[in-house]
Amino acid sequence: MRILFITDPLETFKTYKDSTYAMMAEAAARGHELYWCLQPQLALSGRTVETVATRLHLTGEDGAGHGDWYREGNSALEPLSAFDAVLMRKDPPFDMEYVTSTWLLELAEAQGARVFNKPRAIRDHSEKLAIAQYPEFITPTLVTRDLARIRDFHAEHRDIIVKPLDGMGGMGVFRVGADGMNLAAIVETLGQDGARSLMVQRYIPAIKDGDKRVLLIGGVPVPYSLARVPMAGEVRGNLAAGGTGRAQELSRRDREIAEALAPGLWGQGLLLVGLDVIGDYLTEINVTSPTCFQEITQQTGFHVAAMFIDALEHAVSAAGS
C-alpha cells in the first residue's frame, strides 16, 4: 500500500513515544510505502483535492526528536485518491483550519480517497461532548456558559472539575473544592466572560489511580489501557501535564464501556478511538489523534501498532472489494 500520513512537522516527533511513528514503523516493516505531508499542504484545485506528498524512509535510528530517524525522498503534487490510505494524524487544536481540513478530506473521499479516521466522523465528534450520547457511563455533567448554573452545580456536588470544550493535554482543567474558592474567576477566565461554553463535572476521586486511555481499533478494544497517574499535587493525569503512564489490563468496567461503544464508533468510520475512563466513568472520546501505543507495547509486549496496521489493511481491502 501507499500510505499518506498528514502530521505535524517530523522534526517535532519524539520517536520513543510517538504513536504515529509506531504506525509508520510497523507499516514500513510490512513493505508499505510511506508518504507524509503537513495540514497546510492540503489544497483543492478545480475539482481535485491534492497535496505535496513527500516519500518517507525510516532509518531505524532513535531520533529523539532531532530528525535523524528519517530521510526524505522525492516530493510530488498528487491527488489524495492516488494513495491506498490517508491517515489524519495532525494533533489538535481543533480550530477552523482543522475543520477546513475535514471538509477537504471529505471531498477527497468523494474522489476515491480512503481516509482514516473518517473526516465527517472526526468533525461530528466533540471529544468532550460526545460522552453525552452515553449517559449511563458518565459522572454528573453540565455544559453551559451560565455562571449561576455552575454555582448551583457546585453547591450540589461540592467538588467539581471545570474545563474548556476544546482543550487537550489537560490544558485549562481546574478542580474547585467544597469552599468554592476562585470558582467565579475560573469560569470567567476559561469562559471569556460568558463567550464560551464550559464543561463542569463532579470530581472523580479515582483519578488518583489514573486517567485510563482505552484504545479501540477497528471496533475492537485493545486488551490493555494506559493509566496516566497524576503527579503529586495535580488532578490531571495527562502525560503532557507530568502524569506517569502505567499499562494495565482492562477492568471489567473498562471492557463494558469499550464493548458498548466500539461497534457504533467503528460503524461511523472511526478506525482508531481513545476513550478516557476515570474509575468507572467515561470522561472523553478522543478521535483526532489518539496516542499511547508505545507505552502500552513497551510495558506489556502487546503490539498495538501491529493491531492497528492489521485493521488498516483489512479496512482498505474491504473498501476496495
Side-chain angles (χ1 to χ4, degrees), residues 48-127:
T48 303
V49 179
E50 59 192 16
T51 192
V52 177
T54 301
R55 183 74 162 93
L56 182 63
H57 303 274
L58 306 188
T59 65
E61 299 295 326
D62 181 3
H66 301 304
D68 51 350
W69 58 271
Y70 68 92
R71 60 183 177 82
E72 293 182 312
N74 293 333
S75 298
L77 185 64
E78 296 194 62
L80 268 61
S81 58
F83 298 92
D84 297 291
V86 177
L87 298 183
M88 180 51 160
R89 292 292 299 174
K90 170 72 177 69
D91 282 342
F94 192 88
D95 53 16
M96 273 309 300
E97 283 304 309
Y98 201 111
V99 171
T100 299
S101 294
T102 68
W103 287 327
L104 290 172
L105 291 171
E106 196 169 2
L107 287 170
E109 283 186 316
Q111 297 160 12
R114 303 179 183 97
V115 184
F116 306 94
N117 281 328
K118 195 172 182 65
R120 176 185 292 273
I122 293 177
R123 189 173 63 247
D124 287 353
H125 272 77
S126 163
E127 297 190 325

Side-chain angles (χ1 to χ4, degrees), residues 28 59 90 107 117 132 169 174 181 202 210 223 233 238 250 265 284 287:
T59 65
K90 170 72 177 69
L107 287 170
N117 281 328
F174 287 86
M181 185 67 69
R202 184 175 66 189
N238 309 75
L250 298 187
L265 294 170
E284 290 189 18
V287 299

Side-chain angles (χ1 to χ4, degrees), residues 200-261:
V200 190
Q201 296 178 301
R202 184 175 66 189
Y203 174 70
I204 306 170
I207 184 62
K208 71 181 189 305
D209 299 317
D211 180 354
K212 295 173 285 186
R213 168 58 55 83
V214 178
L215 293 169
L216 307 178
I217 297 177
V220 178
V222 172
Y224 299 91
S225 70
L226 188 75
R228 296 157 297 173
V229 182
M231 62 190 299
E234 266 286 359
V235 296
R236 302 171 299 170
N238 309 75
L239 301 182
T244 301
R246 182 183 67 218
Q248 58 193 36
E249 290 186 11
L250 298 187
S251 70
R252 181 178 299 177
R253 178 64 165 178
D254 295 340
R255 188 166 289 281
E256 178 188 6
I257 294 171
E259 291 178 350
L261 272 60

Side-chain angles (χ1 to χ4, degrees), residues 114-184:
R114 303 179 183 97
V115 184
F116 306 94
N117 281 328
K118 195 172 182 65
R120 176 185 292 273
I122 293 177
R123 189 173 63 247
D124 287 353
H125 272 77
S126 163
E127 297 190 325
K128 303 290 193 298
L129 273 173
I131 64 171
Q133 299 174 41
Y134 311 97
E136 67 273 30
F137 296 128
I138 68 174
T139 191
T141 297
L142 171 70
V143 176
T144 185
R145 302 183 186 189
D146 189 337
L147 175 58
R149 295 203 63 183
I150 295 174
R151 287 190 186 277
D152 290 343
F153 187 90
H154 176 263
E156 178 181 359
H157 297 288
R158 306 297 293 166
D159 198 353
I160 65 173
I161 293 291
V162 183
K163 58 186 177 183
L165 292 174
D166 59 354
M168 62 169 288
M171 179 183 65
V173 176
F174 287 86
R175 178 184 179 185
V176 180
D179 61 7
M181 185 67 69
N182 289 327
L183 176 59

